C-alpha cells in the first residue's frame, strides 16, 4: 500500500440540525481508498455509513451540514468544489448504487432512458450512440435480451434485474470509484451472491475502487480488501479484512463477528449485541460503545478514544484492545 | 397505449348507457302525469284535448311497458327531445344549447390560469421548501382556502367594477348584443370570443375577455389554494424519493432533476384533482355565474332545481354525467401517458 490513495477522507463531520437537536451522524471519520481495492464500511443501521457516502457525493439534504473535514479525490478537495464542478464528478468519476433497486429507479422512464442520461451528459455522445452503449452495458451486467429490456420500465423487471440495471447505470461512464450502499440488502440470498460476483468481476475489468457499505459481515468477507467498522458516527476499527476477521482489536468488531450465525458449530444460540444503537441526539459520554461493551471499565466513561495503529495498517479506537488477545471469536 | 385507449373507448358507451338507465329511472319516480307535463310547454299543456293528451302519452310510451318507454325516451333524447323547460321558457335542448357555449368559453379560458398556474405555484413552493417564496405561497393558499367563493367574488366585483370600473359583470356589454344578433355576424364555433376573432371584430373579442377576467380571478384564487397544496405535498414526497437521489448521483443538473425526474411523478395524483376541476368548469360554476350575472349552465340548472323544473334538471343531469364520463376518460388516458405502470400494468 505504498501507492497514493485515490480518495482520502479526513476527519469528516456531518451533523443534522433537527428540531430536537444536533444529530452527529458522522463525527470525525477518516479513511483512504486505493485504486482497484474494495473498502468495506460496516456497522449497524444509524452508525453513519450511508451519511458518510452521501457526504462524499455531496448529496445530503438541507438539514445536514458538513461541519468539518476533507474529502480529497485525486488531489481535489471535493467539499470545496462548486456545485457545478461537483456535478461533473458525480456519475462520471464517482458513481453510486443504492440499496433498493425498486425505488432507486424512476418508475416513469425506461431503463435505457435512465442509463443513457448519464452517458449523454458526461460523454457528450449522440443519443443513438448512447443507446448502443446502454445495450452493451445491459448485456455486460448479465441482463438477457438487452435490446428488448432497454425499452422496458423498472416495474417490468425483477428485483435482481433492476439492481443489475442500476449497476449498468452506475458504470455507464466508467467511474474510478463506485460507492455501493447496501447493494444486496433488498435482494434474495441467491441473487445477492450473483450481484456481488458481478460487482467483483466488473471491478476487476474496470480497475475501479469500490466502497462497499453494508451491515452484513458476510458481504464484507466476500468482497472487501480492507474494512472500516463504524459505530455511532465514528470509525472504531480499521484494517485489512484478514486482520479484522481473525484478530479483531475492538470489542464492537468482536461482538459483530460473534453475532454471525455459524454452520460449523452445532446448536449454537444466536448471539446478539446487548442494547441498541445509542440515540444520536444523546450519545453516551466517553467511548460511545461502553454501555454495550462486555469489556467496559470505569475509565471508558471518561475517555474519548482516538484511532491508534496497533500493527501496520490496523487501527483501533479501543485503548484496552489487549483484553481481546487470546479471546476467540465465538 | 393504443390498446389501452381502445379498451377504454369500448367501455365508454356502456357507462353512458348506465347513465341513461339511472336518469330514466329517476324520471319514472315522477309518475305518469308529471312526467307528461314535463314534456310540454305548460301554457299549451293546459289547453290540450283528451285526444291530444292520449296522443302525447302514446308518443312518450306512457301506456307502454317500461322497456318500450325507455326505448322511446332514449330515441327522443338522441334526437334532442329533453322536454320543456319552465325556467328557460323553451325546450330544454335549446335552453342548454344557449348556455353551453358561454360555460365552455369561461371554462376554456379558465383552464390555464386555474390548473396551470395552480400546479406551477405548488411546484415552486415545494422546490423552495421553507424559504420565503414557499411561506408566501402557503399564506396565500390559506387565505384562498378560507374565503367563501361568494365573498371573494363580491370583493372582486366591488373593487374591479364598482370602484375601478374595469371588469363589468355579465357576458358582454349591451352594444355587443345588437351586433351579434345582426345577420352580419357569423357564428362558427358559437364560442363568442372565437367567433368575434373569426369575424374580425377585435372590439367584441376584448369586450368578452374583459367580462371573463373577474370570474376567472375568482375561480383561480379559490381553486389554486386546493390545487397548489396537493401539488406541493406530492412534489415534496417525490423529491424525497430515492430515484431523485439517483438522478442527482448521476450528476444531472438540479433543473433536469426537477423538471424531468420529479415533476412527472409528482403530477400523477395532481391529474385527478386538476381533471376534476376542469370537469367542474365545463359543468358550470353556479356562484360565479350568479355573482357576475353571467348566462351559464350552472345558474340555469340551479334555478331549475329550485323551481322543480324536472325536464331541465334531468337534461342538465344528462349533460353533466356525459361531461363527467368523457372527462374521466380523458383523465385516465392522461394518467396512462404519464405513468407507464398504468398502461402496461
Amino acid at each position: 500500500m505504498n501507492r497514493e490513495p485515490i480518495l482520502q477522507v479526513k476527519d469528516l463531520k456531518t451533523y443534522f440540525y433537527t428540531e430536537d437537536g444536533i444529530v452527529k451522524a458522522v463525527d470525525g471519520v477518516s479513511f483512504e481508498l486505493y485504486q482497484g481495492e474494495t473498502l468495506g464500511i460496516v456497522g449497524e443501521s444509524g452508525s453513519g455509513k450511508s451519511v458518510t457516502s452521501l457526504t462524499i457525493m455531496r448529496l445530503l439534504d438541507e438539514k445536514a451540514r458538513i461541519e468539518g473535514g476533507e474529502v480529497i479525490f485525486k488531489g481535489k478537495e471535493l467539499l470545496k468544489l462548486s456545485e457545478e464542478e461537483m456535478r461533473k464528478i458525480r456519475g462520471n468519476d464517482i458513481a453510486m448504487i443504492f440499496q433498493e433497486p425498486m425505488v432507486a429507479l424512476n418508475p416513469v422512464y425506461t431503463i435505457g432512458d435512465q442509463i443513457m442520461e448519464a452517458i449523454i451528459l458526461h460523454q457528450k455522445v449522440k443519443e443513438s450512440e448512447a443507446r448502443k452503449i446502454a445495450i452493451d452495458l445491459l448485456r455486460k451486467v448479465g441482463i438477457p435480451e438487452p435490446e428488448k429490456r432497454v425499452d422496458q420500465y423498472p416495474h417490468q423487471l425483477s428485483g435482481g434485474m433492476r439492481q443489475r440495471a442500476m449497476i449498468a447505470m452506475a458504470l455507464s461512464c466508467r467511474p474510478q470509484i463506485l460507492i455501493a450502499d447496501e447493494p444486496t440488502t433488498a435482494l434474495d440470498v441467491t441473487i445477492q451472491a450473483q450481484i456481488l460476483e458481478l460487482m467483483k468481476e466488473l471491478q476487476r475489468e474496470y480497475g475501479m475502487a469500490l466502497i462497499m457499505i453494508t451491515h452484513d459481515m458476510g458481504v464484507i468477507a466476500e468482497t472487501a480488501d480492507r474494512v472500516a467498522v463504524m459505530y455511532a458516527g465514528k470509525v472504531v476499527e480499521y484494517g485489512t479484512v484478514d486482520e479484522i476477521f481473525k484478530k479483531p482489536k475492538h470489542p464492537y468488531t468482536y461482538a459483530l463477528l460473534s453475532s454471525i450465525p455459524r454452520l460449523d458449530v452445532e446448536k449454537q444460540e444466536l448471539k446478539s449485541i446487548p442494547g441498541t444503537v445509542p440515540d444520536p441526539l444523546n450519545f453516551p459520554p466517553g467511548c460511545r460503545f461502553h454501555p454495550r461493551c462486555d469489556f467496559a471499565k470505569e475509565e471508558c466513561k471518561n475517555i474519548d478514544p482516538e484511532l491508534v495503529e496497533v500493527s501496520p495498517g490496523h487501527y483501533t479506537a479501543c485503548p484496552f484492545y489487549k483484553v481481546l488477545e487470546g479471546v476467540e471469536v465465538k | 397505449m393504443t390498446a389501452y385507449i381502445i379498451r377504454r373507448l369500448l367501455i365508454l358507451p356502456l357507462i353512458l348507457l348506465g347513465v341513461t338507465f339511472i336518469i330514466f329511472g329517476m324520471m319514472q319516480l315522477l309518475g305518469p302525469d308529471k312526467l307528461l307535463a314535463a314534456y310540454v310547454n305548460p301554457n299549451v299543456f293546459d289547453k290540450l284535448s283528451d285526444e291530444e293528451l292520449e296522443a302525447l302519452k302514446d308518443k312518450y310510451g306512457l301506456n307502454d311497458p317500461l322497456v318500450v318507454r325507455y326505448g322511446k325516451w332514449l330515441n327522443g333524447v338522441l334526437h334532442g327531445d329533453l322536454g320543456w323547460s319552465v325556467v328557460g321558457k323553451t325546450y330544454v335542448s335549446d335552453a342548454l344549447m344557449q348556455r353551453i357555449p358561454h360555460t365552455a368559453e369561461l371554462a376554456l379560458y379558465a383552464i390555464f390560469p386555474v390548473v396551470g398556474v395552480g400546479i406551477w405555484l405548488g411546484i415552486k413552493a415545494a422546490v423552495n421548501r421553507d424559504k420565503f417564496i414557499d411561506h408566501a405561497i402557503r399564506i396565500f393558499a390559506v387565505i384562498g382556502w378560507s374565503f367563501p367563493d361568494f365573498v371573494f367574488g363580491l370583493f372582486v366585483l366591488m373593487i374591479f367594477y364598482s370602484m375601478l370600473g374595469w371588469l363589468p359583470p355579465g357576458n358582454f356589454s349591451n352594444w355587443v348584443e345588437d351586433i351579434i344578433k345582426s345577420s352580419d355576424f357569423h357564428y362558427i364555433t358559437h364560442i363568442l370570443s372565437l367567433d368575434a376573432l373569426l369575424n374580425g371584430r377585435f372590439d367584441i373579442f376584448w369586450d368578452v375577455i374583459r367580462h371573463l377576467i373577474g370570474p376567472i380571478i375568482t375561480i383561480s384564487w379559490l381553486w389554486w389554494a386546493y390545487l397548489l397544496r396537493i401539488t406541493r405535498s406530492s412534489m415534496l414526497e417525490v423529491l424525497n424519493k430515492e430515484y431523485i437521489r439517483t438522478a442527482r448521483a448521476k450528476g444531472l443538473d438540479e433543473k433536469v432533476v426537477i423538471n424531468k425526474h420529479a415533476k412527472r411523478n409528482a403530477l400523477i395524483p395532481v391529474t385527478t384533482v386538476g381533471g376534476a376541476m376542469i370537469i367542474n368548469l365545463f359543468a358550470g360554476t353556479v356562484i360565479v355565474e350568479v355573482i357576475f350575472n353571467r348566462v351559464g349552465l350552472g345558474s340555469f340548472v340551479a334555478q331549475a332545481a329550485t323551481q322543480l323544473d324536472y325536464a331541465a334538471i334531468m337534461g342538465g343531469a344528462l349533460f353533466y354525467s356525459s361531461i363527467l364520463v368523457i372527462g374521466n376518460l380523458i383523465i385516465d388516458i392522461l394518467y396512462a401517458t404519464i405513468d407507464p405502470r398504468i398502461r402496461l400494468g
Side-chain angles (χ1 to χ4, degrees), chain A residues 115 119 131-147 149-150 160-161 163-175 194-208:
Chain A
I115 298 175
I119 304 174
R131 192 183 155 85
K132 266 187 219 145
I133 301 176
I135 293 173
D136 285 343
L137 277 163
L138 288 177
R139 188 175 296 120
K140 188 167 258 172
V141 297
I143 290 184
E145 300 178 90
E147 293 86 357
R149 296 290 183 182
V150 76
M161 286 293 159
Q163 196 58 298
R164 284 172 193 268
M166 271 301 288
I167 294 172
M169 196 159 89
L171 298 185
S172 59
C173 296
R174 296 185 155 259
Q194 288 174 15
I195 295 287
L196 290 179
E197 199 47 50
L198 173 71
M199 289 180 68
K200 277 202 282 191
E201 231 176 82
L202 292 167
Q203 182 191 15
R204 266 197 298 276
E205 191 183 327
Y206 284 55
M208 63 189 172

Side-chain angles (χ1 to χ4, degrees), chain A residues 8 91 94 109 112 127 131 151 158 180 202 228 247 266 295 300:
Chain A
Q8 259 180 300
I94 309 179
Y109 292 105
E127 205 173 315
R131 192 183 155 85
D151 291 320
S158 67
L202 292 167
K247 287 178 234 155
E266 220 176 312
F295 306 95
C300 294

Side-chain angles (χ1 to χ4, degrees), chain A residues 24-40:
Chain A
K24 296 181 177 179
V26 175
D27 200 11
V29 164
S30 306
F31 57 79
E32 291 93 43
L33 181 69
Y34 295 89
Q35 187 149 13
E37 77 157 351
T38 300
L39 173 74

Side-chain angles (χ1 to χ4, degrees), chain A residues 54 57 59 87 90-91 98 103-109 113-114 117-118 121-122 153 155-156 169, chain B residues 129 242-243 245-246 248-254 256 260-261 264-265 268 338-341 343-345:
Chain A
L54 291 175
M57 291 291 270
L59 284 173
R87 273 205 298 271
R90 276 187 213 129
F98 298 101
V103 293
L105 288 165
N106 194 327
V108 302
Y109 292 105
D113 204 20
Q114 296 184 58
E117 209 172 23
L121 177 75
H122 294 296
Y153 291 91
H155 75 275
Q156 294 171 296
M169 196 159 89
Chain B
R129 183 185 193 172
E242 285 203 26
Y243 53 77
R245 198 162 69 187
T246 308
R248 289 191 181 127
K250 270 187 231 177
L252 293 177
D253 192 274
E254 191 61 19
V256 181
K260 183 178 173 188
H261 287 271
R264 193 155 157 192
N265 282 288
I268 295 169
I338 299 176
D339 190 348
R341 284 166 297 185
R343 72 176 174 258
L344 302 166

Side-chain angles (χ1 to χ4, degrees), chain B residues 294-308:
Chain B
R294 288 182 65 85
V295 175
L297 269 181
S299 53
F300 170 65
V301 177
Q303 209 184 342
T306 54
Q307 299 188 17
L308 295 183

